[in-house]
Amino acid sequence: MSPEVKPDFLISPEGLRIDGRRPDEMRPIELKVGVLKQADGSASIRQGKTYIIAGVYGPRELHPRHLTLNDRAYLRVEYRMATFSVPDRKRPAPSRREREISMVIANALKPALFLQEFPKSVVDIFITVIQADGGTRCAAINAASLALADAGIPMRSLIPAVAVGKADGKLLVDLGDEEDKYGQGDVPMAIIPQTEEITLLQQDGSFTREELNEAMQMGITSCKYLHELQKEALRRSYVKKTPDNGDEDDDDDGSYEDDLETDLGEAELMED
Ligand code: CDP
């Protein structure tokens, strides 16, 4: 593989990014729900070239027992990168970075979940990064939240996440790998979209107060867009699952929305 070369610029004289995007433009996103047969819930995300699969198991008995929480389920997240997911082979042993990102993802998802409904149990989320091209913690949150909904874990809302960064003095949403590596910093964030409560906010690099405010506004706008894509992916999966609705375009009584509402209700998704 040819060594990575630092690009001459991250923003062109026309104000476009290295992959031709505008500063506030997300990469193309593809979300799929129910991608793993064995898991209770699962989802995948392609965000540009970043590709991640999340599988949820549980609520189920917790081992080791000393981790048991008497008043709620333990949310256990394992974020891992496949050895082939990055240009240099990723060593298979869990790295400090993977452990930290696992914790950050759990903390970003927890505020939306009614874990108190399943005391003394565990909800496991296994996340594998198949291909990393920047923004993996946020893409992982987008997929994991969908996998939790697919598993029927009661939740207040799906959680969308995105990283906003800075390169050549310009704020950019949804950084790609080169923008992440050679840019001036990034702010990954996740929100509960209905209330705009922030469940993840990290900062790498330096931002002025004004830049940070603007970055967060750009992040909220992008998260709301992502939230629509998440809901749409979930709807598609329920339409597919409904036995008397074999064809997505074939509504028996024309009440497409009614079918969706019933099915979303079954998943105990408590969106408004
Ligand atoms: O992926 P995310 O932006 O959430 O986390 P990061 O630690 O800021 O990593 C940024 C990017 O660096 C990842 O998305 C990968 O593309 C790349 N990376 C890598 O090439 N090799 C690693 N061992 C870890 C990350």
Side-chain angles (χ1 to χ4, degrees):
M1 168 146 189
S2 56
E4 226 172 87
V5 184
K6 185 172 186 257
D8 293 335
F9 55 81
L10 292 171
I11 304 288
S12 73
E14 295 77 38
L16 296 177
R17 298 160 68 173
I18 203 154
D19 57 3
R21 280 186 289 157
R22 297 184 310 275
D24 62 351
E25 193 176 338
M26 308 268 305
R27 292 176 285 182
I29 294 167
E30 184 190 80
L31 292 164
K32 285 189 183 161
V33 176
V35 294
L36 300 175
K37 183 170 166 243
Q38 320 293 353
D40 295 314
S42 59
S44 67
I45 181 165
R46 283 181 194 273
Q47 191 155 345
K49 294 191 186 107
T50 289
Y51 179 34
I52 295 174
I53 298 184
V56 169
Y57 292 78
R60 63 182 179 179
E61 205 171 311
L62 173 57
H63 297 286
R65 286 210 181 276
H66 69 85
L67 295 175
T68 301
L69 302 169
N70 286 327
D71 59 344
R72 60 188 187 280
Y74 181 67
L75 184 70
R76 185 161 52 191
V77 176
E78 190 184 287
Y79 160 102
R80 300 293 302 277
M81 291 184 122
T83 49
F84 51 78
S85 64
V86 283
D88 301 325
R89 176 177 179 272
K90 156 76 182 60
R91 292 172 68 169
S95 64
R96 257 186 60 182
R97 175 181 171 275
E98 285 170 311
R99 279 198 286 267
E100 184 216 307
I101 293 183
S102 299
M103 184 195 73
V104 159
I105 293 172
N107 288 342
L109 294 168
K110 261 186 236 168
L113 303 175
F114 294 108
L115 294 172
Q116 64 278 17
E117 292 194 15
F118 308 103
K120 299 182 182 172
S121 65
V122 63
V123 175
D124 276 306
I125 311 178
F126 299 108
I127 296 163
T128 299
V129 178
I130 309 288
Q131 185 162 273
D133 193 43
T136 61
R137 78 194 62 203
C138 291
I141 291 169
N142 292 325
S145 178
L146 271 178
L148 286 163
D150 186 40
I153 306 298
M155 57 175 65
R156 287 164 67 195
S157 169
L158 290 159
I159 299 279
V162 74
V164 183
K166 188 167 69 163
D168 298 348
K170 268 217 148 312
L171 294 175
L172 311 171
V173 300
D174 188 19
L175 300 186
D177 189 45
E178 285 170 310
E179 292 171 334
D180 192 316
K181 284 201 179 105
Y182 305 115
Q184 296 161 285
D186 72 323
V187 180
M189 60 186 287
I191 62 166
I192 296 181
Q194 293 84 348
T195 58
E196 298 187 6
E197 280 168 79
I198 291 170
T199 68
L200 162 73
L201 187 63
Q202 295 185 289
Q203 185 186 327
D204 180 21
S206 62
F207 291 75
T208 63
R209 184 186 288 264
E210 291 72 32
E211 282 173 340
L212 197 56
N213 280 337
E214 197 187 332
M216 285 172 67
Q217 277 316 314
M218 288 168 86
I220 289 172
T221 305
S222 302
C223 280
K224 288 188 172 173
Y225 165 73
L226 271 158
H227 184 228
E228 293 305 314
L229 299 185
Q230 285 176 311
K231 285 193 291 185
E232 189 49 42
L234 204 52
R235 283 198 192 102
R236 278 197 308 272
S237 81
Y238 288 121
V239 170
K240 230 189 286 169
K241 269 188 213 164
T242 311
D244 62 356
N245 201 355
D247 185 334
E248 283 185 35
D249 301 319
D250 176 22
D251 306 339
D252 1 1
D253 57 1
S255 59
Y256 177 83
E257 285 302 327
D258 290 351
D259 281 349
L260 297 181
E261 273 166 29
T262 316
D263 292 323
L264 286 170
E266 272 169 29
E268 299 182 60
L269 183 73
M270 296 177 186
E271 297 259 13
D272 55 17

